[in-house]
Amino acid sequence: MKSKFVSIGYSAGAIGMVEAIRKVDKKSKILALTKENFTAYGRPAIVDYAMGKIDDDGIAYKGKDYSRMRGVDTLLGKEAVKINPVEHTVKTSDGMTIEYEKLLLNIGGRPISPPIPGKELKGVMYFFNIEDARQMRRMVLENGAKRAVVIGGGLIGLKATEALSHLGVSVSIVELAPAILSRGLDPVGSGLMTKKLCEFGVNIYTGDEVVEILGDKKVKSVRLKSGIVIETDMVFISIGVYPDTKLAEECGLKVSKGIEVDRNMKTSAKDIYAAGDAAKGYNFVTKENMVIAIWPVARKMGYFAGLSMMGIECEYDGSIPMNSLYFDDLYTISFGETNPRDPSSYEILERFYDSRTYRKIFIKDGLIAGAVFVGDISRSGIVKGMIYEKIPVASFMDKLLQKDFSFINAPKKYRDLIYTNPFIDLEAV
Amino acid sequence: MEGPLSFSANCRICEHAECVEACPVAAMWRDDTTGLVRVEDKRCIGCWMCIMACPQGSITNRQDRDEGLRVADKCDLCAGRDSGPACVEACPNNALLYEDRDESAKDLRTMKGSMHVFIESDDSANQD
């Protein structure tokens, strides 16, 4: 089998690549292979899928129609096991050989599996892909599971909790750190989210950890370091994700806690590019390359990889960590620095508008370095945009915490910068 | 100009729309023929990634708990409205205009940071 453009993995990175290529080149063959038995889908939407709010068509990117619309050939349920960068070939686990001219690695991450005794018991799961979401539904709806322990109170743990709670499952979260969501949110945001979870009957154990999962073939309970034993039908391990670099390493690519790429998404091997949760893209605030494992960043990296694969040299300007975290109707959006180790070197603006509406903005050297919005998240993107465009805030700093802060409060020069970007009719391009 | 200033049609329908890029289910999507970026309500899961992404704060959340509605919402230039955008119709001073323009893409300013970089397409490749 042969294709000009090949992607190993069919998620946000591959979609970005396809969008870039198809903007210019409608004809060349694009092939995406994925080890999952499902076409490109919105991984962040597995929570809605697990809840039953959306079906197969709803989670599939652009409703299963995407590949046909963009002329992408797909190989589903196929795992790439070997890349030969010299011969430009990819071998699959079932012995197929695929020839490429340009290859994208959109391999993504894998959930961390901690050495907890008992993790092989039935009912111990992850919440990472669509299959995990299906399994969660089966366990609850078919096997009648009523209780769950979620190990790890980060983003994925929160999402698993939301889905479980929606399905009527009683959930206990066990988090090693003193607070849940301590990486994505500031302590205030984390506190408000904790309160929200408690309203929904979620039990939260912080500063504690699961030392053993107990049961006989099936999970029966977990034992915490503090000695507490929680009876349960399911355990979800969500302590983190690591970049899956095995394939890249084995074919000799430069890897160090993620696949190394330059600003054109090129890896250390000719004609091999990487994007997404396994690749270390540029972070323009810290000025270093790092994995920022979120959908928009993966898609943007994929877009630049696509340009680069077509020979269009367009330097990736970088991204920053950001997230939209929510539980039920409590929304939060945060980006950049939200929990600095050296708070004294930041000017910190913060305000409560009511008991559940809060905003905090970190300023360093006259520029916004990060922000947390809780409750009212509208217009938070404006602040994110100012980080991206490095807009000095001194002249309007007093407006940043106004409840109705909007684009109109931004300096005219900045508004002009964005407003002179006219509407573009793609047909005219 | 001094005094109050009113913004309308605040979605600029960016060439590289960050909201489209951020949407994990392609509910926020650019129509290939019209170029218009719209939210498909039926697909939107209300994850607010588009709100996080939009540098103009042009996207809001529309919700109704009783109706089970929870979707992103933005200006769509009153698509489907026979007499065009309502704001243009309502403006007494003709300060708002709605017109087709042939913007010369080459004049586009390159915006660092948000990927608002214009890429010229190869027209010959698009002719099937």
Side-chain angles (χ1 to χ4, degrees), chain A residues 23-24 26 42 57-58 60 62-63 69-70 299-300 303-304 317 324 326 328 331 381-382 384 388-389 408 415 418 421-422, chain B residues 5 7 15-16 18 21 23-24 29 32 43 47-48 53-57 61 63 65 70 108 111-116 126:
Chain A
K23 207 165 170 185
V24 176
K26 305 267 193 267
D57 189 67
K62 203 65 194 158
M69 186 174 81
R70 290 289 189 247
R299 197 178 185 290
K300 185 173 173 181
Y303 191 88
F304 279 83
D317 46 46
S324 162
Y326 50 89
D328 192 54
Y331 309 143
I382 299 171
K384 187 221 68 173
Y388 271 70
E389 307 300 341
I408 205 163
R415 296 202 312 256
I418 289 192
N421 233 351
Chain B
L5 177 65
F7 278 180
E15 195 216 346
H16 283 286
E18 291 184 60
E21 192 176 75
C23 180
W29 192 250
D32 281 354
R43 297 200 64 75
C47 72
W48 317 133
C54 176
Q56 288 131 198
N61 42 2
Q63 47 204 327
R65 237 193 146 97
R70 177 178 149 155
L108 281 183
M111 266 181 78
K112 285 215 74 160
S114 318
M115 215 179 77
H116 294 222
N126 292 347

Short mmCIF file of all heavy atoms in Angstrom, two decimals, chain A residues 23-24 26 42 57-58 60 62-63 69-70 299-300 303-304 317 324 326 328 331 381-382 384 388-389 408 415 418 421-422, chain B residues 5 7 15-16 18 21 23-24 29 32 43 47-48 53-57 61 63 65 70 108 111-116 126:
data_model
loop_
_atom_site.label_atom_id
_atom_site.label_comp_id
_atom_site.label_asym_id
_atom_site.label_seq_id
_atom_site.Cartn_x
_atom_site.Cartn_y
_atom_site.Cartn_z
N LYS A 23 -6.34 22.27 1.99
CA LYS A 23 -6.56 23.65 1.63
C LYS A 23 -5.84 23.96 0.32
O LYS A 23 -6.23 24.82 -0.45
CB LYS A 23 -6.00 24.54 2.75
CG LYS A 23 -6.68 25.86 2.84
CD LYS A 23 -6.35 26.52 4.14
CE LYS A 23 -6.83 27.95 4.09
NZ LYS A 23 -6.45 28.70 5.26
N VAL A 24 -4.79 23.25 0.09
CA VAL A 24 -3.93 23.52 -1.05
C VAL A 24 -3.99 22.39 -2.07
O VAL A 24 -4.02 22.61 -3.28
CB VAL A 24 -2.47 23.70 -0.56
CG1 VAL A 24 -1.53 23.88 -1.73
CG2 VAL A 24 -2.37 24.88 0.39
N LYS A 26 -5.88 19.10 -3.29
CA LYS A 26 -7.11 18.32 -3.18
C LYS A 26 -6.93 16.89 -3.69
O LYS A 26 -7.84 16.09 -3.63
CB LYS A 26 -8.25 18.99 -3.96
CG LYS A 26 -8.52 20.43 -3.57
CD LYS A 26 -9.60 20.54 -2.51
CE LYS A 26 -10.09 21.95 -2.35
NZ LYS A 26 -9.40 22.71 -1.31
N GLY A 42 -13.72 13.11 18.66
CA GLY A 42 -13.34 14.10 19.64
C GLY A 42 -13.07 13.45 20.97
O GLY A 42 -13.98 13.17 21.74
N ASP A 57 -22.23 8.87 16.05
CA ASP A 57 -22.18 9.96 15.07
C ASP A 57 -21.80 11.28 15.74
O ASP A 57 -21.09 12.10 15.16
CB ASP A 57 -23.54 10.08 14.38
CG ASP A 57 -23.48 11.04 13.21
OD1 ASP A 57 -22.80 10.70 12.22
OD2 ASP A 57 -24.08 12.12 13.29
N GLY A 58 -22.25 11.46 16.97
CA GLY A 58 -21.99 12.71 17.67
C GLY A 58 -20.55 12.87 18.11
O GLY A 58 -20.03 13.98 18.18
N ALA A 60 -17.94 11.26 16.59
CA ALA A 60 -17.06 11.21 15.42
C ALA A 60 -16.83 12.63 14.91
O ALA A 60 -17.77 13.43 14.87
CB ALA A 60 -17.68 10.37 14.32
N LYS A 62 -16.90 15.60 12.89
CA LYS A 62 -17.78 15.97 11.77
C LYS A 62 -18.69 14.80 11.39
O LYS A 62 -19.03 14.60 10.22
CB LYS A 62 -16.94 16.42 10.58
CG LYS A 62 -17.65 17.32 9.56
CD LYS A 62 -18.04 18.64 10.14
CE LYS A 62 -19.03 19.37 9.22
NZ LYS A 62 -19.80 20.38 9.97
N GLY A 63 -19.05 14.00 12.38
CA GLY A 63 -20.04 12.96 12.16
C GLY A 63 -19.68 11.87 11.18
O GLY A 63 -20.47 11.58 10.28
N MET A 69 -15.37 13.43 3.20
CA MET A 69 -15.41 14.83 2.80
C MET A 69 -14.03 15.36 2.42
O MET A 69 -13.88 16.13 1.48
CB MET A 69 -15.98 15.64 3.97
CG MET A 69 -16.22 17.09 3.69
SD MET A 69 -17.05 17.84 5.11
CE MET A 69 -15.69 18.13 6.18
N ARG A 70 -13.02 14.94 3.17
CA ARG A 70 -11.68 15.45 2.92
C ARG A 70 -10.81 14.48 2.11
O ARG A 70 -9.62 14.73 1.90
CB ARG A 70 -10.97 15.76 4.26
CG ARG A 70 -11.53 16.96 4.99
CD ARG A 70 -11.18 18.26 4.30
NE ARG A 70 -11.54 19.42 5.10
CZ ARG A 70 -12.50 20.29 4.76
NH1 ARG A 70 -13.19 20.12 3.65
NH2 ARG A 70 -12.75 21.33 5.53
N ARG A 299 -4.09 20.04 17.27
CA ARG A 299 -4.61 20.34 15.95
C ARG A 299 -3.76 21.42 15.27
O ARG A 299 -3.49 21.37 14.08
CB ARG A 299 -6.06 20.80 16.05
CG ARG A 299 -6.80 20.74 14.71
CD ARG A 299 -8.23 21.18 14.97
NE ARG A 299 -9.14 21.07 13.84
CZ ARG A 299 -9.11 21.84 12.77
NH1 ARG A 299 -8.15 22.71 12.60
NH2 ARG A 299 -10.03 21.72 11.83
N LYS A 300 -3.33 22.38 16.08
CA LYS A 300 -2.50 23.45 15.53
C LYS A 300 -1.15 22.90 15.10
O LYS A 300 -0.64 23.24 14.03
CB LYS A 300 -2.34 24.54 16.59
CG LYS A 300 -1.58 25.77 16.11
CD LYS A 300 -1.63 26.85 17.18
CE LYS A 300 -0.75 28.02 16.80
NZ LYS A 300 -0.74 29.07 17.82
N TYR A 303 -1.57 21.13 11.94
CA TYR A 303 -1.72 22.07 10.82
C TYR A 303 -0.36 22.51 10.30
O TYR A 303 -0.09 22.51 9.09
CB TYR A 303 -2.53 23.28 11.29
CG TYR A 303 -2.97 24.19 10.17
CD1 TYR A 303 -4.16 23.96 9.49
CD2 TYR A 303 -2.18 25.26 9.78
CE1 TYR A 303 -4.56 24.77 8.46
CE2 TYR A 303 -2.58 26.10 8.74
CZ TYR A 303 -3.78 25.85 8.08
OH TYR A 303 -4.16 26.66 7.05
N PHE A 304 0.52 22.86 11.22
CA PHE A 304 1.86 23.29 10.81
C PHE A 304 2.66 22.12 10.22
O PHE A 304 3.45 22.31 9.31
CB PHE A 304 2.60 23.95 11.97
CG PHE A 304 2.20 25.38 12.15
CD1 PHE A 304 1.05 25.71 12.85
CD2 PHE A 304 2.94 26.41 11.57
CE1 PHE A 304 0.65 27.03 12.98
CE2 PHE A 304 2.55 27.73 11.70
CZ PHE A 304 1.40 28.05 12.41
N ASP A 317 4.29 29.13 15.81
CA ASP A 317 4.58 30.19 16.78
C ASP A 317 4.42 29.73 18.22
O ASP A 317 4.71 30.47 19.15
CB ASP A 317 3.71 31.41 16.50
CG ASP A 317 2.28 31.00 16.24
OD1 ASP A 317 1.77 30.19 17.02
OD2 ASP A 317 1.67 31.49 15.27
N SER A 324 -10.43 24.10 29.48
CA SER A 324 -11.79 24.41 29.86
C SER A 324 -12.24 23.24 30.73
O SER A 324 -12.46 22.15 30.23
CB SER A 324 -12.66 24.53 28.61
OG SER A 324 -14.03 24.43 28.95
N TYR A 326 -14.95 21.75 33.56
CA TYR A 326 -16.27 22.05 34.11
C TYR A 326 -16.84 20.81 34.76
O TYR A 326 -16.43 19.68 34.48
CB TYR A 326 -17.21 22.55 33.01
CG TYR A 326 -17.24 21.65 31.80
CD1 TYR A 326 -18.13 20.58 31.70
CD2 TYR A 326 -16.36 21.87 30.75
CE1 TYR A 326 -18.13 19.76 30.59
CE2 TYR A 326 -16.36 21.05 29.64
CZ TYR A 326 -17.24 19.99 29.56
OH TYR A 326 -17.23 19.17 28.48
N ASP A 328 -20.86 19.82 35.70
CA ASP A 328 -22.24 20.28 35.63
C ASP A 328 -22.27 21.73 35.15
O ASP A 328 -21.79 22.02 34.06
CB ASP A 328 -22.93 20.10 36.98
CG ASP A 328 -24.44 20.30 36.88
OD1 ASP A 328 -25.06 19.63 36.05
OD2 ASP A 328 -24.98 21.16 37.61
N TYR A 331 -18.38 26.24 35.38
CA TYR A 331 -17.40 26.28 34.29
C TYR A 331 -16.14 26.99 34.74
O TYR A 331 -16.18 27.96 35.49
CB TYR A 331 -17.96 27.04 33.08
CG TYR A 331 -19.31 26.59 32.62
CD1 TYR A 331 -20.25 27.51 32.15
CD2 TYR A 331 -19.66 25.24 32.65
CE1 TYR A 331 -21.50 27.09 31.71
CE2 TYR A 331 -20.90 24.82 32.21
CZ TYR A 331 -21.82 25.75 31.75
OH TYR A 331 -23.05 25.34 31.33
N GLY A 381 -11.39 34.32 26.48
CA GLY A 381 -10.51 34.18 25.31
C GLY A 381 -9.77 35.47 24.97
O GLY A 381 -8.67 35.43 24.41
N ILE A 382 -10.38 36.61 25.32
CA ILE A 382 -9.73 37.89 25.04
C ILE A 382 -8.41 37.96 25.80
O ILE A 382 -7.39 38.39 25.25
CB ILE A 382 -10.64 39.08 25.44
CG1 ILE A 382 -11.95 39.02 24.65
CG2 ILE A 382 -9.93 40.40 25.22
CD1 ILE A 382 -12.99 40.02 25.14
N LYS A 384 -6.69 35.42 26.86
CA LYS A 384 -5.78 34.45 26.24
C LYS A 384 -5.13 35.05 24.99
O LYS A 384 -3.93 34.93 24.78
CB LYS A 384 -6.54 33.18 25.87
CG LYS A 384 -5.65 32.07 25.39
CD LYS A 384 -6.23 31.32 24.20
CE LYS A 384 -6.28 32.18 22.97
NZ LYS A 384 -6.67 31.50 21.76
N TYR A 388 -1.15 35.63 23.79
CA TYR A 388 -0.59 35.21 22.50
C TYR A 388 0.06 36.37 21.76
O TYR A 388 1.09 36.22 21.13
CB TYR A 388 -1.69 34.57 21.64
CG TYR A 388 -1.82 33.09 21.86
CD1 TYR A 388 -2.32 32.60 23.06
CD2 TYR A 388 -1.43 32.18 20.88
CE1 TYR A 388 -2.42 31.25 23.28
CE2 TYR A 388 -1.53 30.81 21.11
CZ TYR A 388 -2.03 30.35 22.29
OH TYR A 388 -2.12 29.01 22.53
N GLU A 389 -0.59 37.54 21.82
CA GLU A 389 -0.06 38.68 21.05
C GLU A 389 0.88 39.55 21.89
O GLU A 389 1.33 40.59 21.42
CB GLU A 389 -1.21 39.52 20.50
CG GLU A 389 -2.25 38.73 19.70
CD GLU A 389 -1.69 38.02 18.49
OE1 GLU A 389 -0.59 38.39 18.02
OE2 GLU A 389 -2.34 37.07 18.01
N ILE A 408 -13.76 45.79 23.85
CA ILE A 408 -13.79 47.25 23.71
C ILE A 408 -12.82 47.92 24.69
O ILE A 408 -12.36 49.03 24.47
CB ILE A 408 -15.25 47.76 23.89
CG1 ILE A 408 -15.44 49.09 23.16
CG2 ILE A 408 -15.64 47.85 25.35
CD1 ILE A 408 -16.88 49.44 22.93
N ARG A 415 -7.15 46.07 18.94
CA ARG A 415 -8.41 45.76 18.23
C ARG A 415 -8.20 45.85 16.73
O ARG A 415 -8.65 45.00 15.97
CB ARG A 415 -9.50 46.74 18.66
CG ARG A 415 -9.88 46.64 20.12
CD ARG A 415 -11.27 47.22 20.37
NE ARG A 415 -11.50 48.51 19.75
CZ ARG A 415 -11.51 49.66 20.42
NH1 ARG A 415 -11.27 49.68 21.70
NH2 ARG A 415 -11.76 50.78 19.79
N ILE A 418 -6.58 42.84 15.17
CA ILE A 418 -7.48 41.71 14.91
C ILE A 418 -8.54 42.09 13.89
O ILE A 418 -8.87 41.32 12.99
CB ILE A 418 -8.09 41.21 16.23
CG1 ILE A 418 -6.96 40.52 17.02
CG2 ILE A 418 -9.25 40.27 15.99
CD1 ILE A 418 -7.38 39.72 18.20
N ASN A 421 -8.04 41.96 10.05
CA ASN A 421 -8.01 40.64 9.44
C ASN A 421 -9.38 40.41 8.81
O ASN A 421 -10.33 40.09 9.51
CB ASN A 421 -7.79 39.60 10.54
CG ASN A 421 -6.63 38.71 10.21
OD1 ASN A 421 -6.09 38.76 9.10
ND2 ASN A 421 -6.24 37.90 11.15
N PRO A 422 -9.52 40.62 7.53
CA PRO A 422 -10.87 40.64 6.98
C PRO A 422 -11.46 39.25 6.78
O PRO A 422 -10.76 38.25 6.82
CB PRO A 422 -10.67 41.32 5.64
CG PRO A 422 -9.27 40.97 5.25
CD PRO A 422 -8.50 40.82 6.51
N LEU B 5 -18.96 53.58 22.20
CA LEU B 5 -18.74 52.94 20.92
C LEU B 5 -19.44 51.59 20.96
O LEU B 5 -19.38 50.90 21.96
CB LEU B 5 -17.23 52.76 20.71
CG LEU B 5 -16.73 52.05 19.46
CD1 LEU B 5 -17.09 52.85 18.23
CD2 LEU B 5 -15.22 51.87 19.56
N PHE B 7 -20.09 47.84 19.32
CA PHE B 7 -19.55 46.82 18.42
C PHE B 7 -20.69 45.94 17.93
O PHE B 7 -21.55 45.55 18.71
CB PHE B 7 -18.57 45.91 19.16
CG PHE B 7 -17.20 46.46 19.28
CD1 PHE B 7 -16.21 45.74 19.94
CD2 PHE B 7 -16.86 47.68 18.73
CE1 PHE B 7 -14.93 46.21 20.07
CE2 PHE B 7 -15.58 48.17 18.85
CZ PHE B 7 -14.61 47.44 19.52
N GLU B 15 -9.75 33.97 9.23
CA GLU B 15 -9.32 33.01 8.23
C GLU B 15 -8.90 31.71 8.89
O GLU B 15 -9.28 30.62 8.47
CB GLU B 15 -8.17 33.56 7.40
CG GLU B 15 -7.99 32.73 6.14
CD GLU B 15 -6.55 32.57 5.75
OE1 GLU B 15 -5.68 33.29 6.27
OE2 GLU B 15 -6.28 31.70 4.92
N HIS B 16 -8.06 31.84 9.92
CA HIS B 16 -7.73 30.66 10.71
C HIS B 16 -8.51 30.77 12.00
O HIS B 16 -8.00 31.26 13.00
CB HIS B 16 -6.23 30.58 10.99
CG HIS B 16 -5.47 30.13 9.80
ND1 HIS B 16 -5.48 28.82 9.39
CD2 HIS B 16 -4.70 30.80 8.93
CE1 HIS B 16 -4.74 28.71 8.30
NE2 HIS B 16 -4.26 29.89 8.00
N GLU B 18 -9.72 30.20 15.32
CA GLU B 18 -9.23 29.40 16.44
C GLU B 18 -10.35 28.59 17.09
O GLU B 18 -10.10 27.55 17.69
CB GLU B 18 -8.55 30.30 17.49
CG GLU B 18 -7.24 30.87 16.97
CD GLU B 18 -6.53 31.68 18.04
OE1 GLU B 18 -6.20 31.12 19.10
OE2 GLU B 18 -6.31 32.89 17.82
N GLU B 21 -10.65 25.40 15.25
CA GLU B 21 -9.50 24.57 15.60
C GLU B 21 -9.69 23.92 16.97
O GLU B 21 -9.27 22.79 17.20
CB GLU B 21 -8.27 25.49 15.64
CG GLU B 21 -6.96 24.79 15.69
CD GLU B 21 -5.84 25.82 15.62
OE1 GLU B 21 -5.59 26.51 16.61
OE2 GLU B 21 -5.26 25.93 14.55
N CYS B 23 -12.55 23.15 18.51
CA CYS B 23 -13.74 22.30 18.68
C CYS B 23 -13.43 20.83 18.43
O CYS B 23 -13.05 20.46 17.33
CB CYS B 23 -14.86 22.76 17.76
SG CYS B 23 -16.33 21.74 17.94
N PRO B 24 -13.62 19.98 19.43
CA PRO B 24 -13.25 18.57 19.27
C PRO B 24 -14.24 17.74 18.47
O PRO B 24 -13.93 16.61 18.12
CB PRO B 24 -13.15 18.06 20.71
CG PRO B 24 -14.04 18.94 21.50
CD PRO B 24 -14.05 20.27 20.82
N TRP B 29 -17.75 25.05 12.76
CA TRP B 29 -17.23 24.61 11.46
C TRP B 29 -17.35 25.71 10.41
O TRP B 29 -18.30 26.48 10.43
CB TRP B 29 -18.01 23.37 10.99
CG TRP B 29 -17.40 22.67 9.82
CD1 TRP B 29 -17.89 22.62 8.57
CD2 TRP B 29 -16.17 21.93 9.81
NE1 TRP B 29 -17.05 21.88 7.77
CE2 TRP B 29 -15.99 21.46 8.50
CE3 TRP B 29 -15.20 21.64 10.78
CZ2 TRP B 29 -14.88 20.70 8.12
CZ3 TRP B 29 -14.09 20.88 10.41
CH2 TRP B 29 -13.95 20.42 9.10
N ASP B 32 -17.41 25.31 3.66
CA ASP B 32 -16.45 25.43 2.57
C ASP B 32 -16.92 26.37 1.46
O ASP B 32 -16.11 27.02 0.82
CB ASP B 32 -16.16 24.04 1.97
CG ASP B 32 -15.20 23.24 2.82
OD1 ASP B 32 -14.67 23.80 3.80
OD2 ASP B 32 -14.96 22.06 2.51
N ARG B 43 -24.58 19.27 17.17
CA ARG B 43 -23.30 18.61 17.44
C ARG B 43 -22.61 19.15 18.69
O ARG B 43 -21.80 18.46 19.31
CB ARG B 43 -22.34 18.80 16.25
CG ARG B 43 -22.81 18.18 14.96
CD ARG B 43 -21.64 17.99 14.01
NE ARG B 43 -20.67 17.05 14.54
CZ ARG B 43 -20.83 15.73 14.57
NH1 ARG B 43 -21.91 15.20 14.06
NH2 ARG B 43 -19.91 14.96 15.08
N CYS B 47 -18.53 22.25 25.56
CA CYS B 47 -17.28 22.07 26.32
C CYS B 47 -16.53 23.40 26.45
O CYS B 47 -15.54 23.48 27.16
CB CYS B 47 -16.38 21.03 25.65
SG CYS B 47 -15.60 21.58 24.11
N TRP B 48 -16.99 24.41 25.74
CA TRP B 48 -16.49 25.79 25.85
C TRP B 48 -15.04 25.98 25.41
O TRP B 48 -14.40 26.96 25.77
CB TRP B 48 -16.69 26.36 27.25
CG TRP B 48 -18.02 26.04 27.84
CD1 TRP B 48 -18.24 25.57 29.10
CD2 TRP B 48 -19.34 26.16 27.24
NE1 TRP B 48 -19.58 25.38 29.32
CE2 TRP B 48 -20.28 25.73 28.20
CE3 TRP B 48 -19.80 26.56 25.99
CZ2 TRP B 48 -21.65 25.69 27.96
CZ3 TRP B 48 -21.16 26.52 25.73
CH2 TRP B 48 -22.06 26.10 26.71
N ALA B 53 -10.85 29.75 23.15
CA ALA B 53 -9.98 30.01 22.01
C ALA B 53 -10.17 31.39 21.38
O ALA B 53 -9.19 31.99 20.93
CB ALA B 53 -10.21 28.94 20.94
N CYS B 54 -11.38 31.91 21.37
CA CYS B 54 -11.65 33.13 20.60
C CYS B 54 -10.99 34.37 21.21
O CYS B 54 -11.32 34.77 22.31
CB CYS B 54 -13.15 33.37 20.49
SG CYS B 54 -13.52 34.92 19.64
N PRO B 55 -10.05 35.00 20.48
CA PRO B 55 -9.34 36.15 21.04
C PRO B 55 -10.18 37.41 21.12
O PRO B 55 -9.76 38.41 21.67
CB PRO B 55 -8.17 36.34 20.07
CG PRO B 55 -8.64 35.77 18.79
CD PRO B 55 -9.60 34.67 19.13
N GLN B 56 -11.39 37.37 20.56
CA GLN B 56 -12.26 38.54 20.62
C GLN B 56 -13.39 38.38 21.62
O GLN B 56 -14.20 39.29 21.78
CB GLN B 56 -12.88 38.81 19.25
CG GLN B 56 -11.89 39.34 18.28
CD GLN B 56 -11.96 38.57 16.98
OE1 GLN B 56 -11.06 38.62 16.21
NE2 GLN B 56 -13.02 37.84 16.74
N GLY B 57 -13.47 37.21 22.22
CA GLY B 57 -14.56 36.97 23.16
C GLY B 57 -15.90 37.00 22.46
O GLY B 57 -16.89 37.46 23.02
N ASN B 61 -22.15 31.27 25.77
CA ASN B 61 -22.82 30.00 26.01
C ASN B 61 -24.31 30.22 26.14
O ASN B 61 -24.76 31.07 26.88
CB ASN B 61 -22.26 29.27 27.24
CG ASN B 61 -22.00 30.20 28.40
OD1 ASN B 61 -22.28 31.39 28.33
ND2 ASN B 61 -21.50 29.67 29.49
N GLN B 63 -27.80 28.48 27.10
CA GLN B 63 -28.28 27.29 27.77
C GLN B 63 -29.63 27.45 28.41
O GLN B 63 -30.03 28.54 28.79
CB GLN B 63 -27.26 26.81 28.80
CG GLN B 63 -26.74 27.91 29.69
CD GLN B 63 -25.38 27.55 30.24
OE1 GLN B 63 -25.12 26.38 30.46
NE2 GLN B 63 -24.53 28.52 30.46
N ARG B 65 -31.58 24.86 31.07
CA ARG B 65 -31.53 23.59 31.78
C ARG B 65 -32.76 22.73 31.53
O ARG B 65 -32.66 21.53 31.28
CB ARG B 65 -31.40 23.85 33.28
CG ARG B 65 -30.18 23.20 33.86
CD ARG B 65 -30.21 23.20 35.37
NE ARG B 65 -29.58 21.97 35.82
CZ ARG B 65 -28.30 21.90 36.20
NH1 ARG B 65 -27.55 22.96 36.19
NH2 ARG B 65 -27.78 20.76 36.57
N ARG B 70 -27.47 23.35 25.83
CA ARG B 70 -26.21 23.84 26.34
C ARG B 70 -25.25 23.90 25.15
O ARG B 70 -24.58 22.92 24.82
CB ARG B 70 -25.68 22.89 27.39
CG ARG B 70 -24.34 23.27 27.93
CD ARG B 70 -23.94 22.28 28.99
NE ARG B 70 -22.51 22.18 28.99
CZ ARG B 70 -21.80 21.81 30.04
NH1 ARG B 70 -22.39 21.51 31.16
NH2 ARG B 70 -20.50 21.72 29.96
N LEU B 108 -3.07 41.26 3.76
CA LEU B 108 -3.28 40.79 5.12
C LEU B 108 -2.03 40.97 5.96
O LEU B 108 -0.93 40.68 5.53
CB LEU B 108 -3.64 39.31 5.11
CG LEU B 108 -5.08 38.99 4.77
CD1 LEU B 108 -5.28 37.51 4.88
CD2 LEU B 108 -5.99 39.71 5.73
N MET B 111 -0.34 37.99 11.72
CA MET B 111 -0.41 38.07 13.17
C MET B 111 0.40 36.97 13.77
O MET B 111 0.10 35.80 13.58
CB MET B 111 -1.86 37.92 13.62
CG MET B 111 -2.54 39.22 13.80
SD MET B 111 -4.21 38.93 14.34
CE MET B 111 -3.93 38.58 16.05
N LYS B 112 1.39 37.33 14.49
CA LYS B 112 2.16 36.29 15.17
C LYS B 112 1.30 35.78 16.33
O LYS B 112 0.49 36.48 16.86
CB LYS B 112 3.47 36.85 15.71
CG LYS B 112 4.48 37.06 14.60
CD LYS B 112 5.86 36.78 15.09
CE LYS B 112 6.07 35.31 15.25
NZ LYS B 112 7.44 34.89 15.26
N GLY B 113 1.51 34.57 16.67
CA GLY B 113 0.85 34.07 17.87
C GLY B 113 -0.43 33.34 17.63
O GLY B 113 -0.65 32.29 18.19
N SER B 114 -1.29 33.87 16.81
CA SER B 114 -2.57 33.20 16.66
C SER B 114 -2.69 32.52 15.31
O SER B 114 -3.77 32.19 14.90
CB SER B 114 -3.71 34.19 16.80
OG SER B 114 -3.45 35.06 17.83
N MET B 115 -1.58 32.38 14.64
CA MET B 115 -1.59 31.63 13.41
C MET B 115 -2.39 32.30 12.32
O MET B 115 -2.85 31.65 11.42
CB MET B 115 -2.19 30.25 13.69
CG MET B 115 -1.59 29.14 12.91
SD MET B 115 -2.37 27.62 13.36
CE MET B 115 -3.90 27.72 12.52
N HIS B 116 -2.61 33.61 12.43
CA HIS B 116 -3.37 34.29 11.40
C HIS B 116 -2.43 34.61 10.24
O HIS B 116 -2.17 35.73 9.91
CB HIS B 116 -3.96 35.60 11.93
CG HIS B 116 -4.99 35.37 12.99
ND1 HIS B 116 -6.15 36.05 13.07
CD2 HIS B 116 -5.01 34.49 14.00
CE1 HIS B 116 -6.86 35.63 14.08
NE2 HIS B 116 -6.18 34.69 14.68
N ASN B 126 -6.45 22.90 -7.37
CA ASN B 126 -7.84 22.81 -6.95
C ASN B 126 -8.79 22.53 -8.09
O ASN B 126 -9.97 22.33 -7.90
CB ASN B 126 -8.26 24.10 -6.25
CG ASN B 126 -7.53 24.25 -4.94
OD1 ASN B 126 -6.91 23.29 -4.47
ND2 ASN B 126 -7.58 25.43 -4.37
#
